[in-house]
Amino acid sequence: MRSMVVTAIRRSLEYPSFFGLKISKRTDCCFSAQGCLICLTLALGWALAAYVRKREVKRMRCSFKEGNNFAFLCHNINELEHSFQSKLPRVSVIMPLKGFGEHNLQNWRSQITSLYGGPLEFLFVVESTEDPAYEAVCMLLENFNDDIETHIVVAGLSTTCSQKIHNQLVGVEKMHKDTKYVLFLDDDVRLHPGSIGALTTEMEKNPDIFIQTGYPLDLPSGTFGSYCIYEYHMPCSMGFATGGKTFFLWGGCMMMHADDFRKDLYGVVTGLRDGGYSDDMTLAAIAGQHKRLITSPPVAVFPHPLASDLSFPRYWNYLRKQTFVLESYINRVNWIMNRALFAVHFYLSWGFVAPYIMAMVHTAAALRVYFRGYSFDGTSTTGGLVLVGCLAISTLIELLSMWNLTKVEIQLCNDLSPEGPPVSLGSYNWVLIFLAMLVDNFLYPISAIKSHFGQSINWSGVRYHLRNGKISKIDRKKESAFRYSDLAGKYLYGYKGAKNASFISYLTGGLVRRHQRRQSQD
């Protein structure tokens, strides 16, 4: 009997099984090697991204030492001369808003207090005056009306595209006739004082640029859901840290030529308006189809504090929204690219998780041998434990590389915003990050399959239905389950009956002050 148990353990060490399916030694080695390769590839990508960001940090600090105290605004201090600033082109900043969250005020302040020296206007676009964002923006702008050019635009409800795209296009229609560049920003983007100037400078240097973009640096709040979001975005971050040309596009920050919208160049307006679900994926598909240039300057990284109450269900709904993007397309080529992305991400996600499951089997069997006191030659355990060790080392290298990139990007953000409160992680829970890696990669294929067969998604309280890659139906039933947005935890349908006292007191206090001022004027 003892020999039979020992033999069974030896086989479990050499040939793990899943639900009764035997895995050969060769397959075991292939899966483990694949897991190590994925970890090391991610580590290399993050190391290269950190190099690009670190190079910008060094350049900026060298400029500080050489006497350029405004290196966070421009490389050449002579560009701050009035003769240069007076020639800067007009920029219109369009911000589609939905709901009100805990970080919105700070984000909006960072956007409207830009130190860009040229003509600049800000258009805050909401779907209706009932949106909680409307009153919040009104109260914020009361303190800045004399200093900056701002407009609050009520766009109405979308009928042929997502509400965000509808708000963007209405903002484009309302922008100044002399605007040369239009900058689309999400309401969760926290700009640096020189961000608009840096983006405009690159557009002026290279007229061939179709879109300039950037990427957020997620700052986990401590909840497991926030760590899942952080881990989900980190692999994408390396595609935006090229310091130049990239194939990636983030809808939270996109600068484009205003004339492209006025002339509907390449169908940018019709492509977005006629059934568009995702602004960045649609524009990226247009750029790829017409071989237009997308760039991401090294300074275009923006701190993005995640909501302090970001729960796991909100993360899951956010992941569903992200995988649903691959179901939208504007042409056959775009459909093929999305299917290819679906297949590659599907394979790599579960290819990342499988080696850890086998490592758990190897480790459990080895521990059983040790504690039961079985004695047989170690050749049966050596192979499995060597694979476990290689995977552990690769994982450690990956985690260190991710942490290093995060640290470098925090340094860069702090150098780019010397006047603001310093950005910091506060805490960095390595265990939760590792668990988030496993959970995120395990759930991504499940979410992608659900999105493929569901063909509908709830986005900030609105349910969109797709047909042939385009929005075919919009359902606006205000279900109580969707009172808050998925990622930021923003209030979507007003504050009546809400439990968050800080939000109620802020809005109520502001409304009372406005009412008192109106009475005094009367």
Side-chain angles (χ1 to χ4, degrees), residues 392-451:
I393 294 173
S394 301
T395 302
L396 179 60
I397 295 173
E398 178 193 17
L399 291 173
L400 288 172
S401 183
M402 184 193 302
W403 171 79
N404 180 62
L405 174 59
T406 305
K407 182 183 68 172
V408 171
E409 289 185 334
I410 286 176
Q411 292 175 349
L412 179 58
C413 287
N414 286 329
D415 287 350
L416 289 171
S417 297
E419 84 299 340
V423 177
S424 64
L425 279 178
S427 63
Y428 197 78
N429 193 316
W430 296 81
V431 175
L432 287 182
I433 290 174
F434 174 69
L435 293 177
M437 289 168 54
L438 296 179
V439 170
D440 184 67
N441 283 282
F442 179 78
L443 290 180
Y444 185 92
I446 298 175
S447 176
I449 293 173
K450 186 175 178 62
S451 297

Side-chain angles (χ1 to χ4, degrees), residues 276-470:
Y277 166 74
S278 171
D279 53 338
D280 48 14
M281 291 294 286
T282 301
L283 292 173
I286 292 174
Q289 180 183 3
H290 297 280
K291 296 179 172 55
R292 296 306 310 273
L293 180 62
I294 300 175
T295 64
S296 180
V299 295
V301 55
F302 312 106
H304 180 215
L306 296 173
S308 58
D309 59 347
L310 202 161
S311 61
F312 188 81
R314 285 185 191 169
Y315 153 73
W316 168 248
N317 209 21
Y318 177 78
L319 182 63
R320 285 272 291 107
K321 189 176 74 174
Q322 296 302 303
T323 56
F324 190 74
V325 168
L326 297 180
E327 300 303 315
S328 64
Y329 54 89
I330 60 174
N331 52 45
R332 179 71 177 177
V333 175
N334 190 201
W335 179 84
I336 294 174
M337 291 178 60
N338 285 359
R339 296 281 67 80
L341 287 172
F342 174 90
V344 171
H345 208 154
F346 190 102
Y347 173 78
L348 292 178
S349 291
W350 277 356
F352 178 85
V353 174
Y356 291 97
I357 298 177
M358 288 188 284
M360 290 174 60
V361 174
H362 285 303
T363 303
L367 290 174
R368 184 178 181 183
V369 169
Y370 177 79
F371 287 111
R372 291 290 181 89
Y374 297 126
S375 60
F376 49 84
D377 68 71
T379 58
S380 59
T381 62
T382 302
L385 294 181
V386 166
L387 294 176
V388 173
C390 292
L391 184 61
I393 294 173
S394 301
T395 302
L396 179 60
I397 295 173
E398 178 193 17
L399 291 173
L400 288 172
S401 183
M402 184 193 302
W403 171 79
N404 180 62
L405 174 59
T406 305
K407 182 183 68 172
V408 171
E409 289 185 334
I410 286 176
Q411 292 175 349
L412 179 58
C413 287
N414 286 329
D415 287 350
L416 289 171
S417 297
E419 84 299 340
V423 177
S424 64
L425 279 178
S427 63
Y428 197 78
N429 193 316
W430 296 81
V431 175
L432 287 182
I433 290 174
F434 174 69
L435 293 177
M437 289 168 54
L438 296 179
V439 170
D440 184 67
N441 283 282
F442 179 78
L443 290 180
Y444 185 92
I446 298 175
S447 176
I449 293 173
K450 186 175 178 62
S451 297
H452 178 69
F453 289 102
Q455 290 296 296
S456 69
I457 193 70
N458 178 279
W459 184 2
S460 295
V462 180
R463 182 162 293 277
Y464 299 98
H465 302 263
L466 293 185
R467 178 181 297 172
N468 297 325
K470 297 181 181 296

Side-chain angles (χ1 to χ4, degrees), residues 71-202:
F72 62 96
L73 293 178
C74 56
H75 296 179
N76 186 355
I77 195 172
N78 294 325
E79 294 179 0
L80 295 177
E81 296 288 342
H82 176 73
S83 58
F84 182 89
Q85 295 282 303
S86 62
K87 298 177 182 178
L88 291 174
R90 172 176 280 272
V91 176
S92 293
V93 182
I94 298 176
M95 288 162 283
L97 307 181
K98 176 71 173 180
F100 183 84
E102 61 179 297
H103 299 297
N104 281 139
L105 283 177
Q106 187 172 355
N107 296 337
W108 296 339
R109 285 195 187 99
S110 72
Q111 293 168 358
I112 63 179
T113 55
S114 170
L115 295 182
Y116 179 66
L120 187 63
E121 69 171 345
F122 297 88
L123 294 96
F124 295 86
V125 189
V126 296
E127 67 178 47
S128 71
T129 56
E130 296 179 359
D131 192 308
Y134 179 79
E135 287 292 343
V137 170
C138 287
M139 287 185 284
L140 174 66
L141 297 186
E142 283 183 351
N143 299 321
F144 294 94
N145 277 340
D146 297 333
D147 304 317
I148 57 178
E149 184 179 350
T150 60
H151 308 279
I152 302 177
V153 180
V154 179
L157 300 179
S158 64
T159 57
T160 62
C161 59
S162 68
Q163 187 65 46
K164 178 185 177 181
I165 290 177
H166 176 71
N167 288 8
Q168 289 173 326
L169 294 179
V170 171
V172 167
E173 293 175 356
K174 301 295 184 180
M175 68 183 177
H176 196 279
K177 61 182 180 63
D178 296 328
T179 292
K180 185 175 183 179
Y181 301 115
V182 56
L183 175 61
F184 298 104
L185 293 177
D186 280 356
D187 59 3
D188 58 356
V189 173
R190 187 171 299 179
L191 286 186
H192 307 294
S195 294
I196 298 178
L199 293 170
T200 305
T201 299
E202 293 299 319

Side-chain angles (χ1 to χ4, degrees), residues 129 204 503:
T129 56
E204 290 287 282
F503 177 71

Side-chain angles (χ1 to χ4, degrees), residues 489-508:
K490 296 185 295 184
Y491 293 83
L492 300 177
Y493 303 129
Y495 57 91
K496 188 175 182 180
K499 295 182 180 180
N500 192 317
S502 60
F503 177 71
I504 297 176
S505 59
Y506 175 81
L507 287 184
T508 304

